[in-house]
Amino acid sequence: MRTQASQGRQAAVLIGAYTKFAFPRIAEYADGWIPVDQNDAMPAAVADLRAYMASKGRSFEELDHTVITHHLGMFEGNPDRLKQRIGELHAMGFNRVLLQLPSESADTQWRTLETLHKVAQAFT
């Protein structure tokens, strides 16, 4: 489904920013929002963007919501903490999560991928 913002364009516009200065641009021009997870600040950011969207006569729900999470190390390697965070982000309206790999050896990345696969399976 093409949003009001994307009508007449061939490609969707996704804005990956997290500042009060970006929100008016997202509300006016974007088809989606891709912030990096800001932890405890995310609920306020979502509320702010909702207000900007409403001021432009648009619904927050019409945006594609993707969030970039921190790598598993930020969750002390605990996949259950990452699952919990993904659940929280989903409750805020994010429908897609980008998971990061650590900048480490191929073996470490492979083990991380195996863990992230298990985390992702919890949401299918």
Side-chain angles (χ1 to χ4, degrees):
M1 176 180 201
R2 308 281 293 181
T3 66
Q4 179 181 357
S6 68
Q7 290 177 359
R9 290 197 304 259
Q10 293 298 314
V13 173
L14 307 175
I15 298 179
Y18 173 82
T19 68
K20 64 180 180 180
F21 304 108
F23 290 165
R25 294 177 192 94
I26 293 167
E28 189 165 350
Y29 302 111
D31 303 301
W33 180 39
I34 309 176
V36 173
D37 185 3
Q38 299 296 313
N39 302 313
D40 293 340
M42 287 307 288
V46 168
D48 289 347
L49 184 53
R50 282 182 183 276
Y52 279 105
M53 293 293 291
S55 75
K56 294 294 181 181
R58 296 182 65 199
S59 167
F60 179 79
E61 285 71 25
E62 76 183 65
L63 287 176
D64 179 81
H65 305 99
T66 300
V67 64
I68 301 169
T69 63
H70 303 290
H71 61 82
L72 191 57
M74 295 292 291
F75 297 94
E76 299 171 0
N78 184 338
D80 290 331
R81 287 190 58 212
L82 178 56
K83 286 180 197 175
Q84 177 184 349
R85 184 60 183 157
I86 292 171
E88 293 166 357
L89 292 164
H90 184 262
M92 286 181 230
F94 290 97
N95 58 0
R96 185 178 302 116
V97 177
L98 299 178
L99 303 169
Q100 296 186 43
L101 290 176
S103 299
E104 297 183 26
S105 71
D107 289 339
T108 299
Q109 288 188 349
W110 186 252
R111 285 191 302 275
T112 302
L113 276 172
E114 290 173 335
T115 301
L116 293 177
H117 175 73
K118 291 175 186 171
V119 168
Q121 285 181 320
F123 295 94
T124 58

